[in-house]
Amino acid sequence: MYDLIIVGGGPAGASAAIFAARAGLRTLVIDEDKGFTRRAMVNNHLGFPDGITGPELVELGRRHAERSGAEWLEGSVTALEVGGEGVTAVTEDGQRQEARDVLLTIGVRTAVAESAGVRTKPGSEPRIPSVVDAQPDGRTNVDHVWAAGTAGDVSVHTIITAGDGARVAINIISAQRGERHVDHDVLQAPTG
Ligand SMILES: Cc1cc2nc3c(=O)[nH]c(=O)nc-3n(C[C@H](O)[C@H](O)[C@H](O)COP(=O)(O)OP(=O)(O)OC[C@H]3O[C@@H](n4cnc5c(N)ncnc54)[C@H](O)[C@@H]3O)c2cc1C
């Protein structure tokens, strides 16, 4: 059983996975790789003064998440079964993966949320027909199911969806641990 399954591996999902895995949560990302970001040329993301293509950003996100300890499964989640102590994600090939919590970072593809009884609503940004109706902390109306990124209606900009994935992951980590989570590394003083 995983501590956290993240459905969707765009900027929001990869960023959430980095925080969750670094916090020691057993983390699985399941991604069908049909996201918005694959089609973008991104010139407004902090840290890339010369711009970065969407595909590069997605690939760097996956590499960073895996290096942080997250597992990554290529595939499409077709159903979420909620009950008992957690959630089961079922993929199109019939694989079943269980977790204490599931985070939906599914961009504009909200079908799997709706099939699990997760409430959706019209998106507030142009060309976003549907998003998850999430609470400010990322929780949805279904226990153990959270949402972030474009799916959480925060924005259609990579810097914000990535940040929102991290924000909601911190909320999940904090809820599982019962104390507020902070992930800081400190620059070591030069020796010699
Ligand atoms: C043409 C274009 C240009 C853009 N240009 C810019 C720009 O210049 N600057 C900028 O900041 N933003 C830009 N964006 C927007 C930006 O790419 C997105 O708004 C943002 O990155 C979305 O991040 P996300 O992680 O929330 O969703 P996405 O990147 O859409 O990722 C969602 C992921 O979830 C997966 N998924 C969905 N459902 C399932 C499922 N059931 N099972 C498994 N996986 C699933 C998808 O396949 C996808 O990989 C552009 C978008 C487009 C389309």
Side-chain angles (χ1 to χ4, degrees):
M1 179 151 171
Y2 290 92
D3 295 311
L4 178 64
I5 291 175
I6 298 168
V7 184
S15 179
I18 292 162
F19 273 75
R22 281 174 53 82
L25 267 59
R26 195 168 171 230
T27 303
L28 174 68
V29 178
I30 308 176
D31 182 49
E32 65 184 7
D33 200 16
K34 294 178 182 162
F36 251 27
T37 311
R38 277 270 169 208
R39 293 190 277 136
M41 176 65 221
V42 182
N43 288 304
N44 50 7
H45 194 112
L46 178 74
F48 298 101
D50 302 321
I52 182 167
T53 70
E56 282 177 292
L57 188 62
V58 170
E59 282 148 28
L60 282 175
R62 175 174 178 169
R63 196 194 316 163
H64 196 165
E66 289 182 320
R67 187 170 291 181
S68 302
E71 295 173 46
W72 198 283
L73 179 65
E74 293 175 8
S76 175
V77 174
T78 50
L80 293 173
E81 295 172 6
V82 184
E85 291 303 300
V87 185
T88 302
V90 185
T91 51
E92 82 279 23
D93 58 358
Q95 284 191 61
R96 299 169 66 81
Q97 310 286 351
E98 274 181 77
R100 292 173 68 180
D101 287 287
V102 165
L103 172 60
L104 301 175
T105 47
I106 48 181
V108 291
R109 304 167 76 86
T110 52
V112 72
E114 284 151 8
S115 72
V118 174
R119 208 164 37 232
T120 58
K121 63 181 183 180
S124 60
E125 305 268 339
R127 297 184 294 285
I128 306 296
S130 171
V131 294
V132 173
D133 189 5
Q135 297 171 30
D137 66 357
R139 290 176 205 266
T140 72
N141 61 303
V142 175
D143 277 353
H144 303 292
V145 179
W146 306 65
T150 293
D153 202 27
V154 288
S155 177
V156 284
H157 295 98
T158 59
I159 189 77
I160 298 173
T161 57
D164 195 54
R167 182 186 71 89
V168 175
I170 289 169
N171 292 341
I172 295 169
I173 298 160
S174 303
Q176 289 196 7
R177 295 268 164 82
E179 63 180 8
R180 194 71 192 150
H181 175 70
V182 174
D183 180 358
H184 280 182
D185 286 329
V186 179
L187 181 66
Q188 298 301 309
T191 54

